[in-house]
C-alpha cells in the first residue's frame, strides 16, 4: 500500500483572494475537472450535503498536470489529490480553499514481481519516503481537522 487518494479543493491566482467559507460558495464558481473524473465535483458536493446540477463553468482537461497548471493560473477551482500538489501548496502557487477533503475510491500500491524484492528495495524505500501523507481512505472524514 502506497496511499489512498484524498482530494482537496484548491485554487491559485486571483481566486485565492476570494474567501470560500462553505461548499455553497463553489456552486456557481468556475470548476476544473479531469475528463476521466467528470463526476468528482458531484461526489464532493454530495459528501458536503449540497445538491447541485453542475451546469456552471466547468473546464475539462485530460491530464492532471494541465488541471494543476490551470488551477495555478486562477482559471477555476480544482479537486486534486493532495499528494500531487504538495509542492505547489508549499510554494503558495495553490491553496486549499476549504477544509473539506474527500476520499475517492482510488488507492495506489507498489507491485513487485516475485523474486525481485531485493532488486527494488531501495526504490520502494525512496518512494514510500516521498509520500509523506499516507492515510487510509476510510479514516478521512469530510471537514475533519486532519493534517491535509
Amino acid at each position: 500500500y502506497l496511499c489512498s487518494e484524498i482530494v482537496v479543493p484548491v485554487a491559485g491566482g486571483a481566486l485565492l483572494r476570494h474567501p470560500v467559507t462553505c461548499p455553497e460558495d463553489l456552486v456557481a464558481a468556475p470548476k476544473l475537472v479531469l475528463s476521466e473524473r467528470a463526476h468528482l465535483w458531484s461526489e464532493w458536493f454530495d459528501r458536503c450535503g449540497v445538491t447541485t446540477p453542475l451546469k456552471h463553468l466547468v473546464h475539462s482537461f485530460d491530464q492532471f498536470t494541465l488541471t494543476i497548471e490551470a488551477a495555478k493560473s486562477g482559471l477555476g477551482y480544482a479537486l486534486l489529490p493532495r499528494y500531487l500538489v504538495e509542492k505547489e501548496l508549499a510554494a503558495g502557487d495553490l491553496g486549499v480553499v476549504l477544509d473539506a477533503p474527500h476520499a475517492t475510491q482510488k488507492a495506489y500500491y507498489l507491485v513487485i514481481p516475485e523474486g525481485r524484492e531485493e532488486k527494488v528495495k531501495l526504490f520502494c524505500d525512496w518512494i514510500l519516503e516521498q509520500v509523506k501523507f499516507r492515510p487510509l481512505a476510510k479514516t478521512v472524514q469530510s471537514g475533519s481537522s486532519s493534517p491535509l
Side-chain angles (χ1 to χ4, degrees):
Y1 169 80
L2 185 57
C3 64
S4 57
E5 185 175 78
I6 309 298
V7 296
V8 292
V10 299
L15 290 179
L16 281 178
R17 293 190 293 276
H18 297 269
V20 175
T21 58
C22 63
E24 289 83 358
D25 291 344
L26 297 176
V27 170
K31 286 171 270 314
L32 309 173
V33 298
L34 190 65
S35 56
E36 68 181 41
R37 297 176 181 201
H39 63 281
L40 197 53
W41 274 109
S42 294
E43 288 178 8
W44 182 82
F45 278 118
D46 286 347
R47 176 136 187 198
C48 292
V50 176
T51 303
T52 179
L54 278 182
K55 298 179 189 173
H56 304 286
L57 297 174
V58 176
H59 304 287
S60 182
F61 300 90
D62 65 351
Q63 297 177 6
F64 275 121
T65 54
L66 295 174
T67 309
I68 292 167
E69 289 303 313
K72 284 171 47 179
S73 298
L75 295 178
Y77 295 91
L79 282 173
L80 292 169
R82 175 72 188 223
Y83 64 86
L84 285 182
V85 294
E86 288 175 347
K87 258 196 279 187
E88 290 82 356
L89 291 171
D93 295 331
L94 287 176
V96 176
V97 297
L98 195 63
D99 183 20
H102 172 62
T104 69
Q105 297 297 315
K106 305 218 182 275
Y108 299 88
Y109 296 84
L110 291 172
V111 180
I112 304 161
E114 269 187 55
R116 296 201 180 172
E117 296 85 359
E118 281 304 311
K119 292 180 179 180
V120 296
K121 182 176 180 356
L122 287 175
F123 172 77
C124 291
D125 291 345
W126 173 81
I127 196 80
L128 288 169
E129 178 60 28
Q130 299 308 303
V131 182
K132 302 211 185 313
F133 185 67
R134 300 176 58 224
L136 295 173
K138 63 184 173 191
T139 65
V140 176
Q141 298 298 315
S142 178
S144 71
S145 58
S146 64
L148 289 177

